[in-house]
Amino acid sequence: MFRFENDRALIESFRSRDRRVIEMPEGITFPLFVRDYLAWTETSGARVYLIFSAPGSRKPIGIIFRREPPGGEPTYRMCEWCHSYGSSSEVGMLTTDVDNKRRVGVTLCNDLRCKEKLEDAADRSGRHPLQFLEQLNARMFRFAHEALGIESQPQPTV
């Protein structure tokens, strides 16, 4: 869980290279408490924003993904984070810049609503979603760390 006091704090959770293109979500009010993660799609649908924290940390990490437009025949894919299946309009390649010359992509739910899908699957199976959400968070951070070089900063213990 983490908290944003204002829009500036939210914007600062993103890499400095991404801060210039952020479109804030509609209806957001501060202070904002985020339990698991925060995701939204900009009005054009071209970008998807994700803010989460590394396991064991409360420092928010922001990533901006570009959605690749689906083309050709519809295909079915599996999200690498929540393992939900969907058509190419639901699950697709999301990309983000590593630096000025390189981009990386990952197959994810186009709207990053993985949490809702995991909670629904846990409800239907009679299980508590906490374990699934922890795994989701670990997958998010693994991508941020391995693909983008983002490091975790654990919270100091009091």
Side-chain angles (χ1 to χ4, degrees), residues 22-72:
I22 295 173
E23 179 181 304
M24 297 294 280
E26 286 186 30
I28 194 167
T29 58
F30 296 95
L32 175 66
F33 293 90
V34 180
R35 188 180 68 184
D36 296 305
Y37 70 91
L38 176 65
W40 72 95
T41 303
E42 69 180 20
T43 52
S44 71
R47 290 187 181 96
V48 182
Y49 301 85
L50 171 68
I51 303 175
F52 68 102
S53 62
S57 173
R58 290 188 181 167
K59 181 182 182 287
I61 298 168
I63 300 174
I64 299 176
F65 290 101
R66 290 190 198 128
R67 290 203 295 194
E68 299 300 318

Side-chain angles (χ1 to χ4, degrees), residues 2-151:
F2 48 92
R3 173 182 168 153
F4 293 110
E5 293 297 328
N6 52 45
D7 59 345
R8 183 175 176 196
L10 186 145
I11 291 168
E12 288 176 355
S13 68
F14 289 90
R15 297 177 296 164
S16 57
R17 65 176 296 110
D18 294 334
R19 293 178 188 156
R20 61 183 165 71
V21 298
I22 295 173
E23 179 181 304
M24 297 294 280
E26 286 186 30
I28 194 167
T29 58
F30 296 95
L32 175 66
F33 293 90
V34 180
R35 188 180 68 184
D36 296 305
Y37 70 91
L38 176 65
W40 72 95
T41 303
E42 69 180 20
T43 52
S44 71
R47 290 187 181 96
V48 182
Y49 301 85
L50 171 68
I51 303 175
F52 68 102
S53 62
S57 173
R58 290 188 181 167
K59 181 182 182 287
I61 298 168
I63 300 174
I64 299 176
F65 290 101
R66 290 190 198 128
R67 290 203 295 194
E68 299 300 318
E73 292 291 315
T75 58
Y76 288 86
R77 300 178 177 141
M78 182 180 75
C79 174
E80 293 184 32
W81 287 353
C82 70
H83 300 155
S84 295
Y85 287 96
S87 69
S88 50
S89 65
E90 300 166 313
V91 178
M93 180 66 65
L94 299 184
T95 62
T96 189
D97 294 329
V98 175
D99 54 36
N100 290 337
K101 296 180 181 181
R102 294 181 302 145
R103 290 170 72 189
V104 293
V106 60
T107 303
L108 299 174
C109 294
N110 287 332
D111 56 7
L112 294 179
R113 293 176 64 179
C114 298
K115 175 184 169 183
E116 293 173 28
K117 294 174 183 177
L118 288 172
E119 287 175 338
D120 183 53
D123 286 346
R124 284 184 280 128
S125 66
R127 300 170 80 183
H128 195 279
L130 183 61
Q131 175 186 355
F132 301 111
L133 295 174
E134 288 172 350
Q135 291 170 349
L136 172 63
N137 183 258
R139 289 180 188 117
M140 289 175 173
F141 180 70
R142 186 174 2 182
F143 172 80
H145 178 68
E146 293 175 0
L148 303 175
I150 294 173
E151 297 292 330

